[in-house]
């Protein structure tokens, strides 16, 4: 005779959810109970993931591997210009992947300019860039990734629906596809991984005439003379590769560059871009965008006002790219119906150190989290670790501090750990030592360009035997350099360990094994050779 299933007592949660209180409760009984009592109106799952980006996909597959019944709901709301894309989220479709490929396109342009100094005979009249060829190649690759994600979900027995998800009640969700067909599902737990979308200015003409990064990577024409509005990493990366393709590019900055990053490094990034032909208009914000000529790309007139005085700027551009920040996709998914709290100003979701919202059965990862890093690998790591804790007996929590990242501006900027400003704030200026130096990549010596532009800096905690708490580098291939050092930093690397490490000669990363000058000393760090 089979044993009776455990009894599950359910009471109303103060915010409208259900709270499980039975001692005998086991995984999966809640959704079965809802089906039996007629509250389901649709199939039930152990976990429903809302959002098919990198974090959501990683979490869903991890849960399925642990034997759970999982669904992913993903829907891309088209941009004001009608741009949309396939499964995979921002990173794959309109973020990291196309950005890095277009950055590489610009680097190839620089390599072509350097080549004659190394003996390559090039017919410069025959060298020109084709926007159409580049975007077609990039979009073909992205399309292959979209298909691969769908196949991977199927192979892992994860149910996928291209439908817009909204909470409608406790443990219950409504999914609407692009044809307006509505279905309802219930789940034991939910994971919000909806990410963010670009912000608009809220001025006349912004949505009608401007583009964002959501539109740029599949733009069917070369953008021509471009105004990039914003100073985020998205703004500077896009401005960098567009200028690298030979376009006339201007960046309009409201306040500071790369807010949240080390400002010493951010200013060096800006200086390098300016020295290489990218114009900057500082302390101005657009107030009106007008179309003065139709076409692809057409012509736009931008009116902007100073943030410091009564100054007015007017300029004409073929394309205006808005990169002023991103908003969390949390306000239109029914969170208020189940009582999930959000930051009303930002839309971000506060969570505890296990990515749990104030509603116990609802979790969140990725860019929607309040006060967390907005990076694809962070979302992936957080999603996998969360699922391992929920279903696999795991204990490890995501580390949101020692996270390596790279800004793919013309001079790449890699960082891990604390910025100088944050280190001073947390540890105190007297308790940190900053070692730094300029350097000259060997590859740049023959073309004789950009000496004393690459820069290395580490921040050390003096009371902890100079443990490295911040790592920063401006250099070609900065991401490749930073990735390796990030592992060492997680292992507690000290300045003494760095000094005892033999460098690989002649590479850029070698500079970190020979740093000897402190910022405090104000000694000269300019280099005369590699």
């Amino acid at each position: 005779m089979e044993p009776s299933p455990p009894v599950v007592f359910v009471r109303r949660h103060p915010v409208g959810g259900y709270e499980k209180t039975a001692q005998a409760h086991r995984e999966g009984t809640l959704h079965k109970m809802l089906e039996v009592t007629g509250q389901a109106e649709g199939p039930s799952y152990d976990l429903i993931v809302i959002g098919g980006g990198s974090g959501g996909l990683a979490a869903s597959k991890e849960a399925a591997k642990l034997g759970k019944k999982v669904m992913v709901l993903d829907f891309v709301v088209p941009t004001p210009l009608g741009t949309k894309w396939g499964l995979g989220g921002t990173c794959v479709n309109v973020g990291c992947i196309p950005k890095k490929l277009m950055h590489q396109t610009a680097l190839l342009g620089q390599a072509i300019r350097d080549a004659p100094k190394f003996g390559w005979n090039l017919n410069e009249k025959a060298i020109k860039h084709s926007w159409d060829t580049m975007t077609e190649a990039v979009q073909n690759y992205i399309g292959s990734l979209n298909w691969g994600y769908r196949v991977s979900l199927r192979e892992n027995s994860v149910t996928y629906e291209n439908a817009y998800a909204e909470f409608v009640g406790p443990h219950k969700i409504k999914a609407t596809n692009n044809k307006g067909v509505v279905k309802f599902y219930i789940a034991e737990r939910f994971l919000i991984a909806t990410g963010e979308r670009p912000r608009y200015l809220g001025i006349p003409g912004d949505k009608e005439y401007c583009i964002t990064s959501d539109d740029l990577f599949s733009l069917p024409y070369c953008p021509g003379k471009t105004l990039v509005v914003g100073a985020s990493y998205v703004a500077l990366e896009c401005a960098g590769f567009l200028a690298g393709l030979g376009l006339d590019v201007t960046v309009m900055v409201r306040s500071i560059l790369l807010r949240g990053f080390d400002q010493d490094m951010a200013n060096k990034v800006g200086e390098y871009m300016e020295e290489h032909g990218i114009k900057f208009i500082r302390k101005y914000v657009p107030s009106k965008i007008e179309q003065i000529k139709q076409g692809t790309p057409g012509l736009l007139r931008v009116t902007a006002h100073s943030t410091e005085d009564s100054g007015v700027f007017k300029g004409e551009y073929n394309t205006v790219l808005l990169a002023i920040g991103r908003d969390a996709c949390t306000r239109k998914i029914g969170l208020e119906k189940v009582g999930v709290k959000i930051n009303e100003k930002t839309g971000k979701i506060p969570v505890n150190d296990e990515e749990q919202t104030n509603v116990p059965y609802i979790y969140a990862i990725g860019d929607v989290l309040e006060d967390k890093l907005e990076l694809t690998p962070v979302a992936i790591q957080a999603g996998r670790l969360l699922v391992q804790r929920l279903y696999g007996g795991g204990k490890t929590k995501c580390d949101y501090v020692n996270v390596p990242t790279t800004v793919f501006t013309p001079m790449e900027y890699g960082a891990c750990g604390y910025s100088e400003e944050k280190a001073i704030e947390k540890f105190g200026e007297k308790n940190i030592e900053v070692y730094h130096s300029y350097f000259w990549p060997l590859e740049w010596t023959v073309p004789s360009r950009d000496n004393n532009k690459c820069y290395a800096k580490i921040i050390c905690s003096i009371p902890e035997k100079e443990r490295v708490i911040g790592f920063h580098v401006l250099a070609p291939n900065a991401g490749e350099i930073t990735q390796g050092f990030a592992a060492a930093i997680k292992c507690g690397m000290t300045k003494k360990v760095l000094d005892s490490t033999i460098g690989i000669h002649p590479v850029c990363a070698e500079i970190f094994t020979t740093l000897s000058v402190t910022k405090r000393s104000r000694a000269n760090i300019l280099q005369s050779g590699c």
Side-chain angles (χ1 to χ4, degrees), residues 134-168:
M134 177 186 68
T135 53
E136 182 181 3
V138 169
Q139 291 304 312
N140 284 343
Y141 178 63
I142 290 172
S144 71
L145 295 177
N146 297 148
W147 175 250
Y149 286 129
R150 297 188 69 161
V151 170
S152 180
L153 289 181
R154 186 167 64 245
E155 290 176 345
N156 284 278
S157 300
V158 175
T159 302
Y160 161 66
E161 280 207 27
N162 182 16
Y164 190 89
E166 299 173 78
F167 286 99
V168 292

Side-chain angles (χ1 to χ4, degrees), residues 208-222:
E208 293 87 350
Y209 306 125
C210 298
I211 68 171
T212 69
S213 55
D214 281 358
D215 304 294
L216 178 63
F217 302 111
S218 59
L219 201 65
Y221 54 84
C222 179

Side-chain angles (χ1 to χ4, degrees), residues 239-384:
F241 72 67
L242 289 175
L245 302 182
L247 303 183
D248 183 331
V249 178
T250 301
V251 180
M252 183 173 286
V253 180
R254 178 178 62 87
S255 54
I256 63 174
L257 302 180
L258 297 177
R259 185 178 300 277
F261 289 87
D262 187 288
Q263 284 302 291
D264 179 24
M265 309 300 288
N267 290 331
K268 284 180 169 59
V269 167
E271 290 166 8
Y272 186 87
M273 293 176 69
E274 207 157 5
E275 290 168 1
H276 285 74
I278 298 172
K279 297 178 284 291
F280 282 78
I281 302 172
R282 297 178 184 269
K283 304 296 175 107
Y284 272 83
V285 292
S287 54
K288 183 168 60 175
I289 312 291
E290 303 169 277
Q291 186 181 65
I292 56 178
K293 181 181 178 182
Q294 293 185 342
T296 50
L299 194 62
L300 303 172
R301 178 180 293 121
V302 178
T303 302
H305 286 78
S306 170
T307 61
E308 297 182 314
D309 51 40
S310 59
V312 177
F313 167 86
K314 291 190 177 183
E316 295 181 357
Y317 302 90
N318 299 120
T319 299
V320 176
L321 170 65
L322 302 182
I324 57 172
R326 298 170 66 81
D327 291 322
C329 300
T330 58
R331 299 186 188 275
K332 297 180 180 180
I333 60 172
L335 294 182
E336 71 284 355
K337 294 178 182 176
V338 287
V340 174
K341 293 178 182 177
I342 65 171
N343 182 317
E344 292 299 332
K345 182 179 180 180
T346 65
K348 297 276 193 171
I349 302 175
V351 295
N352 62 20
D353 63 354
E354 296 194 1
E355 289 80 38
Q356 187 178 42
T357 72
N358 64 298
V359 177
Y361 63 88
I362 299 177
Y363 297 78
I365 59 169
D367 294 359
V368 298
L369 297 188
E370 186 174 47
D371 298 326
K372 296 292 190 293
L373 294 168
E374 300 173 7
L375 297 167
T376 293
V378 172
I380 293 172
Q381 179 87 318
R384 286 176 177 162

